[in-house]
Amino acid sequence: MEIKRIKNKEERKDAFYIRLKVFVEEQGVPRENELDEYEDVSEHIVLYKDKLPVATGRIRIIHGDAKLQRICVLKEYRKLGLGKVIIESLESIAREKDCKKAILGAQVQAKEFYEKLGYTQSSGLFVDEGIPHVEMTKQL
């Protein structure tokens, strides 16, 4: 298993591949909405297992806080602890950047996963791309 901090647009293709598989094909998010204006200002990571890209996430710094986004694992690699590895890697990057808090929009079905990693719900229910979410935060 290897985590790679993506350095250029060429390498970013692996992150986009995973996101398109999970969010667009599996969850029905329109492709044009999945890739957004924040791609170039975010830092992306990809987790490789047996040299295959299987999980990804990105981080943006907003007013000194770390916004963790686009966290996903390919269906056939779930329940292996890879999501936790992605979150911990993004939190590590956030600490490097002197962030004191991490914020994320959690799909409701993943809320318990994030709670186990120390996140607490910080908003009411909202819908993003037809999927119910809650905002969650964690002090770093």
Side-chain angles (χ1 to χ4, degrees), residues 8-118:
N8 57 51
K9 288 183 180 184
E10 186 63 32
E11 292 178 338
R12 207 182 302 161
K13 286 179 182 173
D14 286 342
F16 290 170
Y17 165 79
I18 298 163
R19 287 169 46 188
L20 292 173
K21 281 284 198 197
V22 173
F23 296 127
V24 176
E25 292 178 22
E26 188 180 328
Q27 296 184 345
V29 172
R31 187 182 199 285
E32 60 274 13
N33 295 356
E34 174 51 31
L35 304 178
D36 65 19
E37 68 270 24
Y38 301 116
E39 304 302 346
D40 291 337
V41 296
S42 300
E43 183 165 350
H44 304 258
I45 62 171
V46 174
L47 187 150
Y48 295 87
K49 189 163 176 42
D50 302 322
K51 298 190 178 171
L52 298 172
V54 299
T56 191
R58 76 178 189 193
I59 183 172
R60 277 192 304 137
I61 309 305
I62 303 172
H63 306 300
D65 293 332
K67 178 93 171 166
L68 311 187
Q69 299 179 300
R70 304 305 203 267
I71 297 153
C72 58
V73 178
L74 291 178
K75 193 174 202 169
E76 56 272 30
Y77 292 92
R78 291 184 196 146
K79 306 293 185 202
L80 301 175
L82 304 182
K84 179 181 179 185
V85 173
I86 290 290
I87 294 295
E88 289 173 346
S89 298
L90 292 171
E91 289 173 353
S92 178
I93 293 168
R95 287 185 193 95
E96 281 177 26
K97 296 178 182 289
D98 294 322
C99 295
K100 304 293 183 235
K101 182 168 72 170
I103 305 165
L104 55 84
Q107 292 185 6
V108 170
Q109 85 267 5
K111 182 178 173 228
E112 189 176 312
F113 164 77
Y114 291 110
E115 287 172 338
K116 288 178 184 173
L117 296 175

